[in-house]
Amino acid sequence: MRYYILITAFLEGMTVLVVEIAGARALAPYYGTSLYVWTAQITATLLFLALGYALGGRLARKASAYALPGVFCGGGAWLALFPFWRVEVLGAAAVLPGVGLGSFLAGAFLYGPPLLALGAVSPLLIQRFQKGEAGGEAAGAIFFTNTLGGLAGGWLTALVLVPHCPLRFILAGSGVLLGVLGFLWTRGSARARGIAAAVPLLLCLLFASVPGQPDKFSFGKRSFQILHSQPSAIGLIQVLDLNRESVILLLDGIIQGGMDPGTGLTGFPFSEYMAYLSWRYHPKAKKALVLGLGTGLMSKQLQARGMQVEAVEIEPGITRAAREFFGLPGSVLVHDADARAFLNRKGPGYDLVFLDAYAGENAPWYLMTHEGLSAMKARLNPGGRLVINTLTLSPGGSSGLSRLESALDGLFENAVVFIEPSEGNPGQLATACLVAGEDLSMSAPQGYPGRAHPSITGKYLEIASVGRPARRTTAPDTDELSDLDRADAGLRQEWRRQMMAFLGPHLLGN
């Protein structure tokens, strides 16, 4: 019995971490992966575990033989229903004000009851274990084993389950596991065991009927065909054919770029802005480093201009999608690494360094700090240029942009900011491109050598005419003190809201 109890404690701890980590991943397409979302998920987890500990203590006092199988089966049944109501619950909660509130309430509904049930398990196991042990020793053994299970569950989820399994299978499968544990702990009459046996069987039927995502669907006047869908360590990677007019890359529901399949050229201006400005400020550049591969279309464009191009991409699945669906040449060397870790290593210099790294709608904050930008500057050859793509509000008023400008102004002799001209009311989302280096001047001759989509040509000529010097208006972020998540939270939330309105909630339902 002792080992039976410890094995149960291990599996319970493992399931808690699976629900916490995979649950946060399931929230990401609707709320993102910012500090607010993770804080909300951790808070909900701790709250319901605490309530479960209190419930388990009360149930342990009654010494009911049905308490342990009851909490396992109840929690498992709720969790197994996740695939059936995920889209409706998250789509409804996404309209609530504030990322933190919406993600907390959605997580509390989807994962609260199973976490409460899992919290009740430890006191019930201690009550059974204590029959042959002193109370303190029993509690120590249970919590030690439970925590080891949590460690195993964390690594299993991050390294195996999330990168290779749909989230609906991970969470519904965890519900089946809990139902099986409930059955195994049933004691008493044959009738009770028969009822308990029915629970995991029903959960297995639910698991088998988990709805998959259709390859084709419509939302409004738009039709989508999913060409590729892959869970990964950084989010859900999807490649869509939109109205047979554009192939787009999504990461957790946020567009990372797209291509006109007829021409093979990008249909999104931001990458052409960067390519064009890099030529205007450094027409003789021969070697470029791109931090954040995305579709790979800018790297493809740079190489077509005769440059040697390297890219850094943390997720191999993005690299595979760029090569298969967007024509990234095999001659473009892609380093599978985190951009900051790559920069921290000794390596060659580059004439151009491009920063265009996004995980969904979030730019990694540690690349925007004084130290992160200093690491990029250290990789520039003499006369080299740093080119950055970011998001702001027209005509350029956002806290994140102010911090970035201030950091560049303090690091470089010159830095220039280009804000995409507003096509509507001030305050709408707009692309911002920043160029930094020594002795900046638009020295390129007439005649751009890059090949751009006709719909973009006029736009990049227009953005090049509205540059202004970077201004130091605030203290730049540092590795020790950065609040980029908080400062740009509203902007990122608006970006996600617009994507939800464009694509619809069902596309994100993995």
Side-chain angles (χ1 to χ4, degrees):
M1 176 63 71
R2 174 188 176 94
Y3 294 109
Y4 195 27
I5 292 173
L6 293 178
I7 290 171
T8 302
F10 183 89
L11 293 175
E12 179 263 330
M14 183 177 71
T15 307
V16 168
L17 264 291
V18 171
V19 172
E20 182 175 6
I21 297 173
R25 301 291 302 184
L27 296 176
Y30 297 84
Y31 296 101
T33 56
S34 69
L35 182 63
Y36 289 98
V37 176
W38 273 105
T39 300
Q41 178 70 353
I42 293 170
T43 301
T45 299
L46 293 176
L47 171 63
F48 282 95
L49 285 177
L51 294 174
Y53 297 147
L55 173 64
R58 288 182 173 274
L59 294 175
R61 193 189 319 172
K62 297 180 179 180
S64 169
Y66 300 104
L68 192 57
V71 296
F72 272 131
C73 291
W78 189 277
L79 200 56
L81 290 171
F82 167 83
F84 297 92
W85 56 28
R86 173 195 179 189
V87 171
E88 285 69 24
V89 170
L90 291 175
V95 302
L96 295 173
V99 170
L101 176 62
S103 57
F104 174 80
L105 292 178
F109 179 87
L110 291 170
Y111 318 124
L115 289 168
L116 185 145
L118 288 166
V121 169
S122 292
L124 292 169
L125 290 179
I126 291 172
Q127 184 260 340
R128 292 171 182 258
F129 201 71
Q130 194 176 345
K131 293 178 181 180
E133 307 279 351
E137 185 177 354
I142 293 296
F143 287 124
F144 171 78
T145 308
N146 175 281
T147 303
L148 288 182
L151 293 174
W155 286 109
L156 176 69
T157 307
L159 300 180
V160 179
L161 297 180
V162 166
H164 299 101
C165 299
L167 291 170
R168 61 183 184 274
F169 286 167
I170 297 173
L171 291 164
S174 298
V176 173
L177 172 64
L178 295 182
V180 171
L181 287 174
F183 164 70
L184 294 176
W185 271 101
T186 302
R187 295 290 184 270
S189 67
R191 179 183 178 185
R193 288 187 65 83
I195 294 174
V199 173
L201 288 176
L202 289 174
L203 293 182
C204 286
L205 289 175
L206 279 175
F207 184 85
S209 63
V210 167
Q213 190 178 52
D215 290 335
K216 297 180 180 180
F217 60 96
S218 299
F219 181 70
K221 296 181 179 180
R222 291 176 291 277
S223 61
F224 305 94
Q225 180 178 359
I226 300 178
L227 304 177
H228 175 71
S229 183
Q230 175 193 348
S232 76
I234 62 169
L236 177 63
I237 301 169
Q238 293 172 302
V239 179
L240 303 185
D241 184 329
L242 172 60
N243 293 334
R244 297 187 177 181
E245 297 174 354
S246 180
V247 179
I248 59 177
L249 174 67
L250 298 178
L251 183 58
D252 273 342
I254 298 294
I255 294 176
Q256 307 294 293
M259 179 182 73
D260 179 342
T263 63
L265 301 174
T266 179
F268 290 80
F270 66 88
S271 61
E272 285 300 335
Y273 293 159
M274 300 178 76
Y276 180 74
L277 290 171
S278 71
W279 175 74
R280 291 297 304 272
Y281 280 103
H282 200 340
K284 297 181 180 180
K286 297 298 182 184
K287 190 174 182 181
L289 176 68
V290 179
L291 304 176
L293 179 66
T295 60
L297 291 171
M298 187 176 68
S299 298
K300 180 179 171 182
Q301 159 81 288
L302 295 172
Q303 191 192 61
R305 280 167 40 190
M307 288 191 208
Q308 177 186 344
V309 182
E310 297 179 27
V312 181
E313 173 55 54
I314 193 172
E315 173 50 53
I318 293 287
T319 305
R320 289 192 292 270
R323 296 203 190 278
E324 181 176 353
F325 297 99
F326 299 96
L328 178 68
S331 53
V332 173
L333 175 62
V334 180
H335 302 275
D336 295 332
D338 176 82
R340 182 71 183 272
F342 177 86
L343 292 169
N344 289 340
R345 301 196 296 263
K346 290 184 178 180
Y350 301 89
D351 300 319
L352 294 169
V353 173
F354 296 87
L355 175 58
D356 188 25
Y358 278 91
E361 75 276 32
N362 296 308
W365 65 269
Y366 53 87
L367 294 176
M368 304 291 192
T369 63
H370 175 86
E371 294 86 349
L373 296 169
S374 296
M376 296 173 207
K377 181 182 179 182
R379 286 298 190 96
L380 289 174
N381 290 328
R385 309 300 190 218
L386 172 62
V387 186
I388 300 175
N389 172 56
T390 189
L391 194 69
T392 188
L393 299 174
S394 63
S398 68
S399 297
L401 180 60
S402 296
R403 286 163 169 74
L404 191 53
E405 285 188 57
S406 298
L408 292 176
D409 183 70
L411 279 170
F412 290 88
E413 179 181 307
N414 303 112
V416 186
V417 182
F418 299 87
I419 307 297
E420 184 177 31
S422 174
E423 297 178 356
N425 297 323
Q428 71 181 26
L429 297 181
T431 294
C433 288
L434 301 92
V435 182
E438 312 305 323
D439 189 26
L440 284 184
S441 63
M442 288 192 178
S443 59
Q446 294 295 321
Y448 176 49
R451 179 169 170 250
H453 196 277
S455 64
I456 298 176
T457 304
K459 291 184 178 181
Y460 67 60
L461 291 173
E462 186 177 1
I463 196 174
S465 67
V466 295
R468 62 167 175 80
R471 300 184 289 241
R472 191 182 306 191
T473 58
T474 186
D477 283 8
T478 67
D479 288 351
E480 287 293 321
L481 181 61
S482 175
D483 67 342
L484 189 62
D485 273 342
R486 181 197 63 79
D488 269 354
L491 183 151
R492 309 295 177 187
Q493 186 179 6
E494 175 60 19
W495 188 4
R496 183 162 289 279
R497 188 196 67 76
Q498 291 185 14
M499 287 295 96
M500 184 82 71
F502 180 73
L503 298 169
H506 289 275
L507 172 66
L508 310 178
N510 187 21

